[in-house]
Amino acid sequence: MLMSGFNSLLGLLSLAMLALAAVALVLAVLAREDAYRAADKQTKPFWLIILGVTVVVNFFPILLVLQLAGLVATIVFMVDVRPALRQVSGGGRRGSSSDGPYGPYNGGR
């Protein structure tokens, strides 16, 4: 009973790692090539290869060490590379919270 619960927990963790790697791979595919250079990150093909191998390793769990290395690469992409790509591409929030449809609100001054 205890082992079946542990195996189901590991199965859920493996599924979560696969989903996270797949999402990171899709986001890496959708980003522009020049954004990687502008953000001073590794190239787009580098990240596509790393994240693609991670998805394959998580889909066919071969070695736990490879899955953990892929998880680290996925986390680095999601936490470091993706925000830099969004900032360079202009995908972040533009303007301030006081901007209205005709420009910034100045309080009636």
Side-chain angles (χ1 to χ4, degrees), residues 1-2 6 12 25 30 37 56 60 62 78 95:
M1 172 97 168
L2 183 62
F6 183 70
L12 288 175
L25 180 62
L30 294 177
R37 288 187 305 259
V56 170
F60 302 108
I62 302 164
M78 295 297 280

Side-chain angles (χ1 to χ4, degrees), residues 16-69:
M17 289 189 327
L18 173 63
L20 185 63
V23 167
L25 180 62
V26 168
L27 292 172
V29 167
L30 294 177
R32 295 186 346 234
E33 170 70 35
D34 61 337
Y36 288 88
R37 288 187 305 259
D40 199 26
K41 301 297 176 186
Q42 292 290 332
T43 63
K44 183 174 182 173
F46 172 84
W47 283 109
L48 292 179
I49 290 169
I50 295 294
L51 295 172
V53 168
T54 300
V55 168
V56 170
V57 166
N58 283 323
F59 195 70
F60 302 108
I62 302 164
L63 289 172
L64 182 62
V65 174
L66 292 177
Q67 283 181 295
L68 292 177

Side-chain angles (χ1 to χ4, degrees), residues 69-94:
L71 178 63
V72 169
T74 303
I75 291 171
V76 167
F77 180 83
M78 295 297 280
V79 173
D80 181 44
V81 177
R82 182 172 176 250
L85 295 176
R86 288 182 68 197
Q87 184 178 18
V88 168
S89 299
R93 184 167 161 76
R94 295 182 187 168

